[in-house]
Amino acid sequence: MYEKILFPTDFSEYVKKTLECIGDIPKVKDVVLLHVIDATHLSKHGWTHGQHIEDAKIRLEEQKQHLEGLGLKVETNVYTITEGSIQDVILKIADDEKVSLIVMNAKGNSLIKGLLLGSTSLGVIRHAKTDVLVMRHKLVESLEGEKFEKFCPRILSKVLCPTDFSKSAEDTLSFIKDMEGIQEIVLVNVVTKGDTAEEIDTNVLEAKKRLDEIKEKFAGLKVENHIRVGHPAEEICSLAEDEDISLIAMSSHGKSWLDELLLGDTVFDVIKIAKRPVLVVRTK
């Protein structure tokens, strides 16, 4: 499972909330904390990142102590780049450290208007060779203003697994089924084909039959089947809200041979618009 994870951090309040979730990921033993300093552009005062580096080391040590208090083994890495991109560093460290999971944050310009992914997160998700967990946190109103309500204490309580009945989706379902801590699984297939009502009904019935067959393989787990008709990403995210899903788990590839080279469009769209944590599983 996920014994060694990479956690890039920029020390924001949002990232701090995600740090609290690390101990809730099953089987985690080792954590690599990474902070990347972007020195690709010199200021008019020259190279002025020395203090930034020292501050980063101090803050990483604080996060390290927090995780060590949870019984985890922690490495820290402050990496300065003068060329290239932050995502390239994250992908390199993930390869060098042979991590089994990268934990990223869904973070946009405005958490009030909506949770959107930054370009670094999108780049890592698109090109990573390992699984990626995109964490999202609810915003709740309080007397002190907006606060984060983390999903992590129940992240595996109700997992939504979309399937297009491809081999990759099948492998992802097998992986999720064996994951420790799963309480309930929600299966969904989104019907996208059918020029007439009759054709759509036929495709829905076929999807129902295939979902029922999959459900039989999940003996011992509580499983619900859902069929939606429409745009896959929109229907998946809508169902996630309707069912109060704790995690959306998806294969990085779909039916198309092209998806073996590029992240599937549906997966990418779900990652961008979902309001729930998303686990992207790289099936072998």
Side-chain angles (χ1 to χ4, degrees):
M1 205 62 68
Y2 300 128
E3 292 191 356
K4 188 173 186 179
I5 69 173
L6 172 62
F7 181 59
T9 174
D10 63 3
F11 309 119
S12 66
E13 193 66 25
Y14 194 84
V15 170
K16 190 182 299 182
K17 285 298 178 182
T18 300
L19 184 71
E20 298 174 8
C21 301
I22 298 298
D24 294 293
I25 300 174
K27 300 291 187 179
V28 172
K29 296 179 180 178
D30 301 292
V31 179
V32 179
L33 290 174
L34 171 66
H35 179 71
V36 183
I37 297 174
D38 188 350
T40 55
H41 303 288
L42 289 176
S43 72
K44 62 181 180 181
H45 302 294
W47 201 88
T48 59
H49 297 282
Q51 188 59 51
H52 190 170
I53 293 173
E54 294 307 311
D55 289 345
K57 290 180 179 178
I58 293 172
R59 300 179 79 171
L60 278 181
E61 185 61 30
E62 293 173 352
Q63 294 187 344
K64 177 182 178 181
Q65 291 178 10
H66 170 77
L67 293 175
E68 287 179 334
L70 301 177
L72 301 174
K73 181 182 177 181
V74 184
E75 302 174 37
T76 61
N77 192 334
V78 178
Y79 200 107
T80 303
I81 58 172
T82 55
E83 61 181 7
S85 67
I86 294 176
Q87 78 175 45
D88 293 336
V89 175
I90 294 172
L91 295 170
K92 178 182 184 302
I93 297 297
D95 287 344
D96 291 348
E97 295 289 340
K98 295 180 173 59
V99 301
S100 51
L101 179 70
I102 303 173
V103 178
M104 300 294 294
N105 291 277
K107 186 178 64 169
N109 294 326
S110 174
L111 292 174
I112 305 301
K113 295 178 181 178
L115 296 175
L116 303 175
L117 282 175
S119 58
T120 295
S121 295
L122 287 174
V124 170
I125 294 162
R126 182 179 290 280
H127 299 291
K129 298 176 184 177
T130 189
D131 295 359
V132 180
L133 174 61
V134 182
M135 286 302 301
R136 279 185 165 88
H137 305 280
K138 290 180 181 177
L139 279 175
V140 293
E141 295 289 338
S142 69
L143 293 177
E144 294 79 23
E146 292 79 12
K147 285 190 174 182
F148 297 108
E149 179 186 82
K150 60 189 182 189
F151 281 101
C152 49
R154 61 181 197 88
I155 194 168
L156 296 180
S157 62
K158 195 171 185 180
V159 181
L160 174 61
C161 298
T163 178
D164 58 3
F165 307 121
S166 65
K167 181 62 168 61
S168 295
E170 180 182 329
D171 291 342
T172 296
L173 288 172
S174 296
F175 176 80
I176 295 299
K177 181 181 68 173
D178 296 332
M179 185 177 286
E180 183 179 303
I182 298 289
Q183 297 178 27
E184 184 177 352
I185 291 178
V186 177
L187 300 175
V188 61
N189 173 257
V190 181
V191 175
T192 60
K193 295 180 179 179
D195 295 327
T196 65
E198 290 76 13
E199 289 180 357
I200 293 174
D201 289 342
T202 298
N203 291 334
V204 167
L205 288 174
E206 176 63 22
K208 182 180 184 303
K209 178 182 176 181
R210 299 186 71 173
L211 284 180
D212 288 341
E213 292 172 353
I214 294 174
K215 183 176 180 179
E216 292 178 358
K217 300 177 182 179
F218 285 78
L221 284 172
K222 182 179 179 182
V223 180
E224 294 181 13
N225 287 350
H226 289 264
I227 298 172
R228 294 281 182 111
V229 178
H231 184 276
E234 292 176 359
E235 293 300 329
I236 289 168
C237 293
S238 173
L239 180 61
E241 294 304 304
D242 293 345
E243 293 294 319
D244 193 23
I245 293 298
S246 60
L247 175 70
I248 303 172
M250 302 184 69
S251 167
S252 60
H253 299 136
K255 290 182 176 179
S256 170
W257 66 268
L258 182 61
D259 290 334
E260 296 300 320
L261 303 177
L262 300 173
L263 193 71
D265 288 341
T266 296
V267 182
F268 210 57
D269 288 344
V270 167
I271 292 168
K272 288 190 288 185
I273 66 176
K275 298 179 181 178
R276 308 280 163 153
V278 180
L279 174 64
V280 181
V281 180
R282 288 298 201 287
T283 53
K284 304 300 184 292

